[in-house]
Amino acid sequence: MNAPESMRLDKWLWCARFYKTRSLATEEIGKGRVTVNGQPAKAARDLRCGDTVALRQGAIARTVIVRGLSGARGPAPVAQQLYEETADSIAAREKAAEQRRLAPEPAAALQEGRPTKRDRRNIDRAQNWGDRWSASIDE
């Protein structure tokens, strides 16, 4: 089967498994989250080998170079051969992952409000109910 010379951007993003459906790819393109060669793109834009595509998947920004075109969505190992991620993009993704890993626990910033499970256990231990069957004060 011969690979096409050019194909639609939304279809390529779907075939390369960046988005689960073509409609999701089209939606992300419409929101301006995908650019081709530094230019804002439309879903029907023709994509060719050698083009640079910058996209966002949630909070993750990626820059890839188109290495191949496929007429159908295939398995992940085949889809990964359709593009090559730039070194800057890989470094930025790894740096962001490291920052997320080292970020403090969001609940630790709360001074008031609902206690975490660990806080609840510490409170229960501190109150030292002992062998009492009720929390009410015995008279």
Side-chain angles (χ1 to χ4, degrees):
M1 181 173 153
N2 293 338
E5 188 176 310
S6 67
M7 71 185 307
R8 288 175 57 107
L9 174 61
D10 61 341
K11 187 171 183 179
W12 184 84
L13 289 170
W14 172 72
C15 288
R17 294 184 166 265
F18 287 109
Y19 299 106
K20 195 168 187 163
T21 64
R22 275 183 70 179
S23 61
L24 274 177
T26 304
E27 187 178 316
E28 293 296 303
I29 294 166
K31 291 179 180 177
R33 295 180 180 161
V34 179
T35 61
V36 177
N37 298 328
Q39 303 282 324
K42 292 185 179 179
R45 178 185 169 123
D46 279 337
L47 199 63
R48 300 179 186 279
C49 289
D51 286 346
T52 302
V53 178
L55 60 114
R56 270 194 12 229
Q57 291 177 295
I60 301 168
R62 295 177 132 191
T63 304
V64 297
I65 299 169
V66 178
R67 292 293 177 213
L69 304 173
S70 173
R73 183 176 168 110
V78 174
Q80 290 171 349
Q81 294 174 359
L82 297 179
Y83 63 90
E84 177 186 341
E85 192 167 3
T86 62
D88 293 340
S89 176
I90 293 170
R93 266 194 315 118
E94 288 173 353
K95 183 179 177 184
E98 183 70 14
Q99 286 177 343
R100 282 192 307 272
R101 189 178 68 78
L102 297 175
E105 172 68 29
L110 298 174
Q111 298 301 320
E112 296 179 14
R114 186 173 176 172
T116 62
K117 191 171 187 177
R118 179 182 288 170
D119 292 341
R120 183 80 243 155
R121 288 178 180 159
N122 290 337
I123 291 168
D124 287 344
R125 273 190 224 108
Q127 289 178 347
N128 193 13
W129 295 110
D131 56 356
R132 291 174 44 189
W133 63 273
S134 172
S136 63
I137 298 176
D138 293 330
E139 292 183 20

